[in-house]
Amino acid sequence: MSLHGTRRRRQAGFRWAVVGVIGLFFALPIVAMVEFTTRAPGGGRTLDTWATLFNFSVIDADYPELQHGVLASAGLTLLTVTIMLVMLVPTMTWVRLRLPGVRRLVEFICLLPLTIPAIVLVVGLAPVYAWVAYFLGESSLWLALAYVILVLPYAYRALDAGLGAIDVKTLAESARSLGAGWPTVMWRIILPNVRTAVLSAAFLSVALVLGEFTIASLFSRDNLQVAINLLGKRDSSLAIAAALAFMILAFVVLLAMSFVGSSRRSSRSEES
Amino acid sequence: MSPTRTPVPDQMTGTGRGRGVAVTLSDLRRSYGPIRALDGLTLDIAPGEFVALLGPSGCGKTTALRVLAGLDDADSGRVEVGGKDITSVPTSARDMGMVFQAYSLFPHMTARQNVEFGLQLRRIPSARRRERVAEMLDLVELSDHADRYAHQMSGGQQQRVALARALAIEPQVLLLDEPLSALDAKVRVQLRDEIRRIQLEVGTTTLFVTHDQEEALAVADRVGVMRAGNLEQLASPHDLYARPATAFVADFVGLTNRLHAIAEGDHAILLGTSVPLLPGSTQHGPALLLIRPESIEVTADPTGRATVITASFLGSTGRLHAVTDSGETVVAQIDNDTVATFYPGDKVTLVPRPNPALAVAASE
Ligand SMILES: Nc1ncnc2c1ncn2[C@@H]1O[C@H](COP(=O)(O)OP(=O)(O)O)[C@@H](O)[C@H]1O
Ligand SMILES: [Mg+2]
């Protein structure tokens, strides 16, 4: 009895130690960022940098790259998530229904990007993007195509877990026998039952795209991280403040997304 | 073995009859690699008839049902419903209600929404839809569970909702693939009888797939016994049991003794007694006679030429195992109140009753 108690106490202590170390790991850089952005020239503290950051007319006029970067990243996030979902959900459903034999292959292809360093991806994609730029213009939004590849492994994993949790085949066949065409089966039967998985796939994609720097930079395109990097060369304090602000914004966005997912779920079980 | 065809009964009884349509499967073939799941299956179902497909696991029952539903394509052969060839019509346009083994209710919809789904797809006005849903839930006696989700219902209730959902669209044909096999014994019997009652009420032509012989015999107008992708015999439950066409059917449906006998034309001599033979029997020489336990009469007899091994009480009947002097084991059905009078080692006399039986070549 007392032995168990001791052990449990020790385990609890260990757990808190782990949480503490991890917390420190995340907190220290953030604290350092706050410290750095509030330094006054002659020593002491000032909120000048933060005031500038939220003074949109000044930002617009003096730091246009930041505005471009924000807009590009927002567009890229939206595009990447949309393309990813439109591509993956029907394909993965179809593979489960009709081509179970190629499931391993699809999984392999989707997980492949995990093993490819960004620089290799860029080298491989460079000729493709030369054509894209030539035919479709220089817009940064075309980066979304590369980002879809980047988020593929994470999105695949999330969606695969969701589809695995329901009997896709029986549900689809029941709906078909009741007169539903394939679009109806997808929209009204499969999607509502994998909503949580779709949300978490989107969630991971948003996080990845908002934080992406390497590919955008190597292709010399604008996105949020590239803009912050550029800003850092002119005004490091403002750049750090911007980075911190967008980190908090991203955090809020992700939190909101996960909240939407779980509140829908719980509202359903309350109805019942 | 070619399927034995009994004529489709033309006079059906029952209140809902006359609303169903005829179903014909002709020479259906379907292979999965080297496996022939359907090997020339031919089956006629009369309008409003309830046919059960019975057979061991892997004999092609599900494949037959799926081909009829359009969920699977046959390599060759034809599917006709109501005289129309629907071989190339997609599932969603076939108008067939299906009930699967389990987990087929849409988890994000209530019972009511599940039943309503097919009606919405048919663009039925909402007032009429509500009416129909209520009617269907009433039919399966689940009106007070209309707002429950699948995970809030028992397996039996879920299957009833699935049945209501399938019937709501007034399907041409109702297809059930082992709908009871995931349920426990008591619920299984209950729901089985209920399916029969409902089918008689709505009169929809029905194909019911099962590997459970008792289930098939209890619900169906006719039972088709399948073996290796083909129909072995299609007959009424009584005929199937009393007049099996093949040794496979005799063995698969009910208990059967296989006893050495001598065939002599239209009868065989078993244990010194003459037993009439069914059509299709071996007619001459040594044969194995497939004879039911209830076709063997047992009498206590100190000079008898068989010895009791066990006598067991089975509730409404009793069962006696004996071994003959020639070393063959015989199972006989006895009255439940005589069980206690037989002891292991007792001598008994076994006399076959004159019920027709099937004789097969001794090597089979
Ligand atoms: N999709 C499939 N792929 C490969 N083999 C299959 C498939 N479906 C059925 N089979 C095979 O076809 C045979 C008949 O299967 P099935 O119709 O499901 O039998 P039953 O329902 O009578 O148990 C079995 O040997 C099974 O293994
Ligand atoms: Mg089956």
Side-chain angles (χ1 to χ4, degrees), chain A residues 1-15:
Chain A
M1 196 61 211
S2 76
L3 189 74
H4 278 195
T6 320
R7 192 197 277 170
R8 201 174 305 141
R9 260 197 308 282
R10 230 182 260 158
Q11 276 178 353
F14 180 69
R15 232 174 278 150

mmCIF file of all heavy atoms in Angstrom, chain A residues 1-15:
data_model
loop_
_atom_site.group_PDB
_atom_site.id
_atom_site.type_symbol
_atom_site.label_atom_id
_atom_site.label_comp_id
_atom_site.label_asym_id
_atom_site.label_seq_id
_atom_site.Cartn_x
_atom_site.Cartn_y
_atom_site.Cartn_z
ATOM 1 N N MET A 1 0.835 -1.206 0.000
ATOM 2 C CA MET A 1 0.000 0.000 0.000
ATOM 3 C C MET A 1 0.870 1.257 0.000
ATOM 4 O O MET A 1 0.794 2.095 -0.881
ATOM 5 C CB MET A 1 -0.908 -0.049 1.254
ATOM 6 C CG MET A 1 -2.087 0.902 1.203
ATOM 7 S SD MET A 1 -3.170 0.542 -0.178
ATOM 8 C CE MET A 1 -3.791 2.160 -0.540
ATOM 9 N N SER A 2 1.725 1.333 1.020
ATOM 10 C CA SER A 2 2.569 2.522 1.112
ATOM 11 C C SER A 2 3.595 2.526 -0.024
ATOM 12 O O SER A 2 3.996 3.564 -0.535
ATOM 13 C CB SER A 2 3.283 2.583 2.464
ATOM 14 O OG SER A 2 4.355 1.659 2.468
ATOM 15 N N LEU A 3 3.971 1.300 -0.414
ATOM 16 C CA LEU A 3 4.898 1.183 -1.544
ATOM 17 C C LEU A 3 4.268 1.814 -2.789
ATOM 18 O O LEU A 3 4.878 2.606 -3.502
ATOM 19 C CB LEU A 3 5.219 -0.291 -1.789
ATOM 20 C CG LEU A 3 6.339 -0.532 -2.786
ATOM 21 C CD1 LEU A 3 7.685 -0.194 -2.162
ATOM 22 C CD2 LEU A 3 6.333 -1.966 -3.280
ATOM 23 N N HIS A 4 2.966 1.427 -3.025
ATOM 24 C CA HIS A 4 2.247 2.002 -4.164
ATOM 25 C C HIS A 4 2.207 3.506 -4.073
ATOM 26 O O HIS A 4 2.418 4.208 -5.046
ATOM 27 C CB HIS A 4 0.818 1.460 -4.209
ATOM 28 C CG HIS A 4 0.762 0.116 -4.851
ATOM 29 N ND1 HIS A 4 -0.402 -0.453 -5.287
ATOM 30 C CD2 HIS A 4 1.736 -0.758 -5.131
ATOM 31 C CE1 HIS A 4 -0.135 -1.644 -5.804
ATOM 32 N NE2 HIS A 4 1.152 -1.849 -5.713
ATOM 33 N N GLY A 5 1.927 3.994 -2.856
ATOM 34 C CA GLY A 5 1.808 5.430 -2.651
ATOM 35 C C GLY A 5 3.103 6.134 -3.008
ATOM 36 O O GLY A 5 3.109 7.118 -3.749
ATOM 37 N N THR A 6 4.217 5.561 -2.535
ATOM 38 C CA THR A 6 5.519 6.154 -2.820
ATOM 39 C C THR A 6 5.767 6.202 -4.319
ATOM 40 O O THR A 6 6.187 7.208 -4.881
ATOM 41 C CB THR A 6 6.639 5.318 -2.168
ATOM 42 O OG1 THR A 6 6.198 4.914 -0.889
ATOM 43 C CG2 THR A 6 7.917 6.125 -2.070
ATOM 44 N N ARG A 7 5.433 5.058 -4.930
ATOM 45 C CA ARG A 7 5.697 4.993 -6.354
ATOM 46 C C ARG A 7 4.862 6.014 -7.117
ATOM 47 O O ARG A 7 5.336 6.677 -8.031
ATOM 48 C CB ARG A 7 5.405 3.587 -6.883
ATOM 49 C CG ARG A 7 5.940 3.414 -8.295
ATOM 50 C CD ARG A 7 5.326 2.238 -8.989
ATOM 51 N NE ARG A 7 5.987 0.994 -8.641
ATOM 52 C CZ ARG A 7 5.492 -0.198 -8.989
ATOM 53 N NH1 ARG A 7 4.365 -0.263 -9.653
ATOM 54 N NH2 ARG A 7 6.116 -1.297 -8.662
ATOM 55 N N ARG A 8 3.598 6.107 -6.682
ATOM 56 C CA ARG A 8 2.726 7.039 -7.382
ATOM 57 C C ARG A 8 3.242 8.470 -7.216
ATOM 58 O O ARG A 8 3.268 9.243 -8.159
ATOM 59 C CB ARG A 8 1.288 6.921 -6.863
ATOM 60 C CG ARG A 8 0.270 7.452 -7.864
ATOM 61 C CD ARG A 8 -1.149 7.195 -7.405
ATOM 62 N NE ARG A 8 -1.391 5.792 -7.121
ATOM 63 C CZ ARG A 8 -2.142 5.377 -6.089
ATOM 64 N NH1 ARG A 8 -2.669 6.235 -5.254
ATOM 65 N NH2 ARG A 8 -2.354 4.102 -5.907
ATOM 66 N N ARG A 9 3.680 8.778 -5.979
ATOM 67 C CA ARG A 9 4.209 10.128 -5.745
ATOM 68 C C ARG A 9 5.426 10.382 -6.629
ATOM 69 O O ARG A 9 5.585 11.429 -7.215
ATOM 70 C CB ARG A 9 4.573 10.295 -4.263
ATOM 71 C CG ARG A 9 3.494 11.060 -3.479
ATOM 72 C CD ARG A 9 4.021 11.580 -2.171
ATOM 73 N NE ARG A 9 4.661 10.565 -1.348
ATOM 74 C CZ ARG A 9 4.007 9.652 -0.614
ATOM 75 N NH1 ARG A 9 2.703 9.648 -0.616
ATOM 76 N NH2 ARG A 9 4.653 8.782 0.117
ATOM 77 N N ARG A 10 6.271 9.360 -6.698
ATOM 78 C CA ARG A 10 7.478 9.529 -7.491
ATOM 79 C C ARG A 10 7.123 9.744 -8.977
ATOM 80 O O ARG A 10 7.696 10.591 -9.645
ATOM 81 C CB ARG A 10 8.368 8.291 -7.335
ATOM 82 C CG ARG A 10 9.803 8.666 -6.978
ATOM 83 C CD ARG A 10 10.642 7.434 -6.878
ATOM 84 N NE ARG A 10 10.843 7.019 -5.508
ATOM 85 C CZ ARG A 10 11.175 5.760 -5.169
ATOM 86 N NH1 ARG A 10 11.275 4.830 -6.091
ATOM 87 N NH2 ARG A 10 11.383 5.454 -3.921
ATOM 88 N N GLN A 11 6.141 8.949 -9.439
ATOM 89 C CA GLN A 11 5.724 9.116 -10.845
ATOM 90 C C GLN A 11 5.165 10.506 -11.087
ATOM 91 O O GLN A 11 5.461 11.141 -12.096
ATOM 92 C CB GLN A 11 4.666 8.074 -11.205
ATOM 93 C CG GLN A 11 5.287 6.754 -11.603
ATOM 94 C CD GLN A 11 4.225 5.714 -11.899
ATOM 95 O OE1 GLN A 11 3.041 5.956 -11.678
ATOM 96 N NE2 GLN A 11 4.654 4.581 -12.400
ATOM 97 N N ALA A 12 4.356 10.975 -10.142
ATOM 98 C CA ALA A 12 3.772 12.308 -10.288
ATOM 99 C C ALA A 12 4.878 13.355 -10.340
ATOM 100 O O ALA A 12 4.865 14.257 -11.184
ATOM 101 C CB ALA A 12 2.810 12.592 -9.134
ATOM 102 N N GLY A 13 5.859 13.193 -9.479
ATOM 103 C CA GLY A 13 6.981 14.132 -9.459
ATOM 104 C C GLY A 13 7.700 14.146 -10.793
ATOM 105 O O GLY A 13 7.976 15.211 -11.361
ATOM 106 N N PHE A 14 7.949 12.959 -11.315
ATOM 107 C CA PHE A 14 8.625 12.840 -12.598
ATOM 108 C C PHE A 14 7.836 13.535 -13.695
ATOM 109 O O PHE A 14 8.374 14.259 -14.525
ATOM 110 C CB PHE A 14 8.807 11.354 -12.927
ATOM 111 C CG PHE A 14 9.499 11.116 -14.229
ATOM 112 C CD1 PHE A 14 10.841 11.426 -14.391
ATOM 113 C CD2 PHE A 14 8.810 10.586 -15.316
ATOM 114 C CE1 PHE A 14 11.476 11.206 -15.590
ATOM 115 C CE2 PHE A 14 9.430 10.372 -16.521
ATOM 116 C CZ PHE A 14 10.771 10.671 -16.655
ATOM 117 N N ARG A 15 6.517 13.287 -13.666
ATOM 118 C CA ARG A 15 5.656 13.893 -14.677
ATOM 119 C C ARG A 15 5.763 15.417 -14.658
ATOM 120 O O ARG A 15 5.909 16.061 -15.679
ATOM 121 C CB ARG A 15 4.202 13.476 -14.423
ATOM 122 C CG ARG A 15 3.541 12.902 -15.658
ATOM 123 C CD ARG A 15 2.169 12.362 -15.327
ATOM 124 N NE ARG A 15 2.233 11.024 -14.752
ATOM 125 C CZ ARG A 15 1.345 10.551 -13.868
ATOM 126 N NH1 ARG A 15 0.376 11.326 -13.420
ATOM 127 N NH2 ARG A 15 1.444 9.322 -13.425
#
